[in-house]
Amino acid sequence: MDLQVLTLSSRGGRKVNEDSYGVWSTDRACYCVVSDGVGGHGGGDTASRLVVQHALEWFRQHPASAVAEDAVRQALEQANDIVLAEQQSEERLNHMQATAVLLAVDTEQRRACWGHLGDSRLYYFHQRQLVTRTRDHSVIQRMVDAGYLPASELRTAPERSRLLVAIGASQHIEPDTATTAEPILPGDTFLLCSDGLWEYLDEEEIIAILTSNVGRDSLQSLESLVRSRGRAGQDNYTAVLVWCEH
């Protein structure tokens, strides 16, 4: 199975882009990471860069590892360890944190697994149907899940960006991961993105665009909507689009 990968990242209306992303592949697998520096903690750009670098480095160090829940978890744990260690290197980095979403695809066995912390998301489309959207580790997501707020508040609530977990926040992290590696087919599509992208897009719009004609045009369509709706000082936004071919 062949994979096609497209990426975009913009600082939006900010002076610094605190989002990072990375893609690394071998002849049998592909790994993608998106990370977003958590606002208000300082050093977010450094934290997100370290997350991407060292999550991918874990797979380089373990080339024989199968695409599985445990591998994804260990890659994110390694990234967390590095960020915690770097927090001690200089004062401005003492409290740096970042979100993370990671996708691992075994192109030989045709399986995929993923994991995340924070509110960077993964959307998985199987046979032109949205079958998975990761749940944000945020106060607002928890309130929506408990029925205290409508789902529309995920994008507009004043404390929408208040996270419950993030890389760099604790020595022990528990990333949410796919329970098992999912079998994938040609035509399946994955979108990894930071909250600066999805906050301007309704779920129905993402579904409509990514189930119609997947490719560079679809990624540009998502970005066009984000740019048209952005406000002064809008957040950085990043996306990695992956789709499976024969």
Side-chain angles (χ1 to χ4, degrees):
M1 175 180 286
D2 292 330
L3 295 182
Q4 298 295 321
V5 181
L6 292 173
T7 63
L8 71 85
S9 187
S10 171
R11 60 185 176 89
R14 305 286 176 84
K15 292 182 178 180
V16 176
N17 190 349
E18 294 195 334
D19 288 359
S20 298
Y21 70 89
V23 179
W24 181 67
S25 61
T26 68
D27 57 359
R28 61 157 292 181
C30 180
Y31 308 96
C32 306
V33 186
V34 167
S35 181
D36 177 6
V38 175
H41 291 278
D45 55 336
T46 300
S48 67
R49 176 178 54 80
L50 290 171
V51 168
V52 170
Q53 176 184 346
H54 291 282
L56 293 179
E57 181 61 27
W58 188 92
F59 289 104
R60 293 189 184 98
Q61 295 170 348
H62 303 82
S65 295
V67 172
E69 172 192 2
D70 191 55
V72 169
R73 177 182 55 78
Q74 291 183 59
L76 292 174
E77 287 176 345
Q78 172 163 290
N80 188 62
D81 290 343
I82 296 296
V83 169
L84 288 173
E86 287 297 316
Q87 286 175 350
Q88 310 308 312
S89 65
E90 54 181 297
E91 186 175 355
R92 75 176 184 89
L93 303 179
N94 284 171
H95 303 289
M96 67 177 178
Q97 298 176 23
T99 70
V101 57
L102 186 159
L103 170 68
V105 180
D106 186 326
T107 54
E108 285 189 347
Q109 299 296 320
R110 298 192 172 195
R111 301 183 305 154
C113 194
W114 53 85
H116 83 290
L117 291 107
D119 59 2
S120 290
R121 290 182 176 180
L122 177 140
Y123 293 82
Y124 169 38
F125 296 85
H126 177 67
Q127 297 185 328
R128 295 185 177 272
Q129 299 290 323
L130 177 63
V131 294
T132 297
R133 191 272 279 174
T134 53
R135 313 301 292 176
D136 306 331
H137 297 123
S138 67
V139 171
I140 298 301
Q141 178 74 72
R142 181 165 291 183
M143 294 179 70
V144 169
D145 291 344
Y148 294 118
L149 291 174
S152 59
E153 293 291 318
L154 282 169
R155 290 168 169 78
T156 60
E159 293 191 332
R160 185 196 64 73
S161 298
R162 185 179 172 193
L163 301 181
L164 297 171
V165 296
I167 286 184
S170 171
Q171 290 187 347
H172 178 67
I173 60 171
E174 295 184 2
D176 280 348
T177 60
T179 54
T180 60
E182 292 285 337
I184 55 176
L185 295 172
D188 286 4
T189 303
F190 299 89
L191 173 68
L192 291 74
C193 61
S194 62
D195 67 325
L197 187 96
W198 64 254
E199 72 171 317
Y200 291 105
L201 304 170
D202 292 336
E203 301 292 305
E204 293 76 12
E205 292 173 324
I206 296 173
I207 293 170
I209 291 172
L210 294 184
T211 55
S212 56
N213 184 26
V214 176
R216 186 168 299 279
D217 288 346
S218 58
L219 199 58
Q220 290 175 343
S221 295
L222 294 174
E223 183 176 25
S224 293
L225 288 174
V226 171
R227 291 173 64 89
S228 69
R229 297 167 181 175
R231 55 188 180 272
Q234 81 176 88
D235 198 1
N236 320 137
Y237 58 87
T238 297
V240 175
L241 182 65
V242 182
W243 71 97
C244 309
E245 295 186 340
H246 290 282

